[in-house]
Amino acid sequence: MLTKFESKSARVKGLAFHPVRPWICASLHNGVIQLWDYRVGTVIDRFEEHDGPVRGVDFHLHEPLIVTGGDDYKIKVWDYKLRRCLFTLLGHLDYIRTVQFHPNATQFPWILSASDDQTLRLWDFQKRSCLSVLTGHNHYVMCASFHPSEDLIVSASLDQTVRVWDTAGLRKKQLGGSGLDEGYPGMMDVNGNRGGTSAAAATALNVQAELFGTNDVVVKYVLEGHDRGVNWAAFHPTLPLLASAADDRQVKLWRMSETKAWEVDTLRGHANNVSCCLFHPKQELVVSNSEDRSIRVWDVSKRVGVQTFRREGDRFWILAAHRSQNLLAAGHDSGMIVFKLERERPASAHGPGDKLYYVRGRELFCHDYSRATGGSSGVDVPIASLRRVGQQAQTDGIGSGPRFLSYNMHNPTEGNILVCSEVDGGCYELITFSLTNAGGSVTDGKRGSCLGPGVFLGRNRFAVLDRHKREIVVKNLNNETTKRVAAPVPNVDCLYDGGASGRIILRSDDRAVLFEVQSRRVIGELTAPKIKNVVWSPDGSKVALLCKYGVVIANRQLEQLCSISDTVRIKSGAWDVSPTGGTNSNLFVYTTLHHVKYCLPTGDTGTIRTLDNPIYATRVVKDSLFCLDREARSRVISIDTTEARFKLALANKKYGQVMHMVKHSRLCGRAIVAYLQSKGFPEVALHFVRDPQTRFRLALACGNIEAAMESAFSLEQQQGADGKSRDVWGELGSEALRQGNHQVVEMSYQRKKDFDRLSFLYMLTGDNEKLRKMLKISNMRNDIMGRYHNALLLGDAAERVAVLEASGNLPLAYISAKLHGLDDVADRIKVAIETQEGSVEGLMEKIPVGTKKGGRLLQPPTPIVRASNWPTLEIKKTTLEDLSAADAGDEYEEEAPAVAADTGAGAGAAAWDDDFGMEDAVAGIGGDDGFDLGDDDDMGWGDDLDGLGDIGGDDVASDQVDDMEAFNEISGDVGFQMPPAGRPAAACWVANSSHAADHMAAGGASSAMQLLHRQIAASDFSKLKGPMLGCYLSSTVSLPGVPGSGSMIIPLMRNDAAGHPGNDSLPRTSLTMKSLVAGIRMGYKYFQTGKFNEAKNAFSEVLSQIPLTVSENRNQANEMKEMVEICREYITAIRIKEAITAAGADPVRSTELSAYFTHCNLQPVHLLLALRSAMGTAFKHKNFIVAASFARRLLELPDMRSERNADLRMKATKVLQRSEQMARNEHTLNYKENTAFSIDCKDLVPVYTGEESVKCSYSGSVYKGTSMKGQIDVTDGFCTVGVETIGLVTGK
């Protein structure tokens, strides 16, 4: 059994696969209906309107509908897109067992239901009415289902019969209208169809149908043979066969003809009631499950059981099969599992040239790509038939087929293939054949045992892994052992091709080791978790290690080049073998469940296309992907690798090819734009983008002021003068200021209406005339502070005094006038002060004159460069920009100065001199006067300011000099430029990460504690003090400076392996996965030796370190979350052990605690100790039923089979025998063995499903009731219980 997904929930009573999407619907005994995505393992939705258990559920084949039936006698139809119940069908009088849509629901909108009221009902869900009531059973009807293609229904009942019903009459009636069946025209009227009978007759016939049923559906067969009630019956999808499961612990097979049905055989083996059975949709198998906690697989042709899967503690209730995929699902007491019976990946191996060897069924084929014609991918040539040895190997569909193929690339004279399978623990078969006449002379029969695939080491030798000693066994082509080599590392469980003669890759735990067999030396080693396959490039220079959730690419010495991770499982991969284009051995294409993706040795990845069904890639040539499907049929699909070739050319610095692809390929999308920006080529991204907002960002990134201005004007037209466009002008002004182009800065500030910055800019550039006009504008806007600042920047003392006087600050105005020698003004102000009953006496005494602290005359500084542009910062062009210029030729060189000149004259006349949108600022002052900062005739602000009418300003002559004439001359002088300021490392760390460890490393203890509080509800930080200080101290290093100076603090970064990351830097932290693993192992060691206090301290320390440990990838993140569960379980177990010691005098409490101890999720060796202790405690206190349970569980542990536990095995057997004889408990215990429960981490009592409880969002500790809500968690000691948070954050 290959488990694809497993859920934990209440008892699952009904299951249904979605016909297309990776969804499964589960109806639970507690009344909840869960919609799961079994591919990613998440709940999509929940429906909770049924009152009581829901036993039946089904998906509509085409519409977004779900039908459910429950113990509340109701059938409900749901729309899972609208997430609500559409309607309810009422009519059954007892529990509803199963519901099903008709297989052809578009033509027949029927629902079939079976109920404990001893009837079946057919419903029209479009008209929401009952079509027919099927009566005949005299006990509960446990299930009913439609035939996939014929007009038949099968039902099973506790009256020990299976009935087959013929629905042809109802079908004809529905298709032909009421005239086809004149016997029940009233029934049609009642249900909304056309009919000619009266209402009274219709009512009478409806009552008759309710009591006795109708003749639209008739019984065709009644199958009798079971000794007890029948729980399930199912049709074969294509053959005239039936399978039934009953409480007599038997599964029976029945065959049907046109006139009769008879029993074919009985399948015996279950030890309790058989709950469900079905035919496998693709193999000749029957799958059944039972209350004996097992799933059994039966061979239909041989009629024997071939596989059994057991589950401890959970009874099975329901089975479901996917319509089109090789997937099964089973529901049990504590959830459900989605599984396969075998792997569907066809065994294949590359041969010499353009050949592929693969297995289909029991045949070995050679596929020749060089003989491809038309739309085919090549020609299949049969090589040999594979013989299977062993009883289990004779049945298809249960994993007995070949798993691995290895071809001998070192032998040019003949073909050698190793066919390896997992039958009987692992075996291989060596097949030898002629290359010239592949199907003619085949030699086989050389077999042996092995673990995993075999590998050819040379022309006449191969290596396999001994499955018992885990040694590397080298054999010749006569299957004779020539050498045995011990593995260089422990726990080796698989061999792979090493890419050269004499080399192999060993898989050990989460490592890959490149080993040379002859010299017995390790050449290379790298970390790669859960390796599934190894693919070498055609030239042997690179290798791709396919892991379960990622791809690692390394060179021939197994030195890692890049590593990528994915969220779904990797299925297969192949290197590009195109003879041209530069992608040969540099482009790796891999497939997942629903996508084709690519990976480059540089680490760049992307998605090429989606897939309807999984495929297994074998070869990539240009834009064609050759592959095998799950039926081992060779296919070729088209792919577009333009994006991958573009990134590869950019990484290899083939800039000519890059620019050619930019101009002639259909490259677009935000991903390409973001990629070019990250690689430092934003100017190339400008070729793809037409959106003004994106073009504006790219232009700023590459310093292209002209393109940025063009985009800013477009954005202003789209968004208007207000709103976001002002922010755009602000960003453009900042970039222009960085480059030193103050003319663009001026225009940007004008557009943004940033008067303060504009005044300061005029002061810096020495443009006093425009500064005086800014003073007039602030006067018109009644901006007192603006007037004062402008007067201060101009050095105009009289204006400053006037501003102070106008604002009511008469004492300050008097002091200012006296200090600047404006005696007439001072006397006038003095009179005003005295008029208001004030006095000027003592005012001047507050200002010390003639001292350093005394008042001084403030004058604006004299600008160094006046009336022209500043020396601008040189913007270096990249290689790609130079190539683009070279392609454009002389025309590009002539256009460049013209663009620069537009910054002054062209752009200014076209854009700067229009209305700057300041009308709103002076609308209340100037009325209809046309307030503007320029017009079409002159570049200055003179005419519009002069013509403002009766605002109160001085008259100015109309023949003003052009104040902005200097804008037409832009200086090209380049002087000293200050280098741009960088960001401190700590600021980058905080900005780039939401992990508390990174914030703490940057010195942000407050923000780190806030993050921990929000993410895991941390409240007491005393236990986290040590790890937090460690994060802070480990992120920097102190280097001694030159004599006389202090030490230098150098930040340590974890992402600087390929060069300085710049603003994307992240700190190095002291806590790693290795330290956490070491802590867990130390806790295991202490626990094993009985040092429980030390073990508790070790697990508690790991719990406090995990929130401040940064994971490197998704796998590490998952491992960290598993570590949290391990620590919680062991800390709880240790506390239970301490409580057992304290309660030694109380036989009831000590027995209960011993029982709870065995339900902690411990390692098998530790669980053995717990069960041994619990068995002894229960037996000593004469609780024999519980003691027998512990003894059974102890005997079922794998470790009990070893010789070192022989004495314990004997004692457990004796305890079991004695307990079964006594069969009573001396005391009443608060312990239910077969009911799932969690352990209250405070009071150490069980918390059963459905009981009110609260939980810690970090450790997952459960507490009964709500008394612990808001308190500190007992397990971790620093998180608050009962607070719902996002949970543990493991990465940046």
Side-chain angles (χ1 to χ4, degrees), residues 831-1045:
V831 172
I833 292 175
E834 292 174 348
T835 303
Q836 298 178 4
E837 298 181 356
S839 175
V840 297
E841 294 181 3
L843 287 179
M844 299 306 298
E845 295 176 1
K846 298 179 180 179
I847 307 299
V849 181
T851 64
K852 290 184 178 180
K853 295 183 180 180
R856 296 182 181 180
L857 179 63
L858 295 178
Q859 289 290 341
T862 303
I864 299 173
V865 180
R866 184 191 293 269
S868 64
N869 222 343
W870 290 337
T872 55
L873 184 68
E874 182 181 359
I875 304 299
K876 294 184 178 180
K877 292 183 177 181
T878 62
T879 308
L880 282 173
E881 214 169 4
D882 292 337
L883 273 175
S884 181
D887 291 342
D890 297 336
E891 181 181 357
Y892 182 89
E893 296 297 329
E894 293 173 1
E895 290 176 357
V899 172
D902 283 347
T903 307
W912 293 10
D913 289 356
D914 60 358
D915 181 5
F916 290 107
M918 295 188 181
E919 294 85 357
D920 296 338
V922 295
I925 302 173
D928 294 333
D929 296 325
F931 182 78
D932 203 337
L933 290 182
D935 63 11
D936 295 336
D937 296 326
D938 95 20
M939 298 291 295
W941 295 4
D943 292 344
D944 288 321
L945 290 176
D946 298 337
L948 286 175
D950 54 354
I951 297 178
D954 298 333
D955 293 337
V956 183
S958 60
D959 54 347
Q960 281 287 342
V961 178
D962 187 354
D963 293 311
M964 303 178 75
E965 184 179 359
F967 283 14
N968 296 331
E969 300 175 3
I970 300 177
S971 173
D973 299 335
V974 179
F976 170 75
Q977 301 293 332
M978 288 292 290
R983 296 175 65 190
C988 297
W989 298 346
V990 172
N992 293 338
S993 176
S994 60
H995 199 286
D998 295 334
H999 284 246
M1000 192 63 212
S1006 175
S1007 62
M1009 289 190 287
Q1010 288 177 2
L1011 285 173
L1012 289 173
H1013 180 67
R1014 293 179 189 136
Q1015 292 165 0
I1016 60 172
S1019 300
D1020 185 355
F1021 292 93
S1022 58
K1023 282 197 174 183
L1024 298 175
K1025 180 179 178 181
M1028 292 178 75
L1029 288 177
C1031 290
Y1032 175 68
L1033 296 175
S1034 65
S1035 62
T1036 56
V1037 63
S1038 178
L1039 298 180
V1042 297
S1045 66

Side-chain angles (χ1 to χ4, degrees), residues 536-609:
W536 284 91
S537 61
D539 60 2
S541 62
K542 301 178 185 69
V543 61
L545 282 70
L546 300 184
C547 305
K548 190 173 184 179
Y549 291 104
V551 178
V552 179
I553 295 182
N555 60 16
R556 65 185 308 158
Q557 302 300 323
L558 213 63
E559 297 169 346
Q560 182 171 316
L561 300 178
C562 73
S563 175
I564 63 166
S565 60
D566 212 318
T567 55
V568 295
R569 297 183 181 185
I570 309 296
K571 290 295 181 183
S572 65
W575 289 93
D576 189 292
V577 296
S578 304
T580 60
T583 56
N584 191 310
S585 300
N586 285 314
L587 171 61
F588 185 73
V589 176
Y590 66 96
T591 65
T592 63
L593 199 61
H594 291 294
H595 291 92
V596 178
K597 302 183 178 182
Y598 68 85
C599 174
L600 303 178
T602 57
D604 295 319
T605 63
T607 301
I608 297 176
R609 61 168 290 171

Side-chain angles (χ1 to χ4, degrees), residues 161-173:
T161 66
V162 176
R163 289 176 179 253
V164 180
W165 311 74
D166 190 344
T167 61
L170 183 63
R171 175 179 60 83
K172 295 175 182 178
K173 183 176 180 180

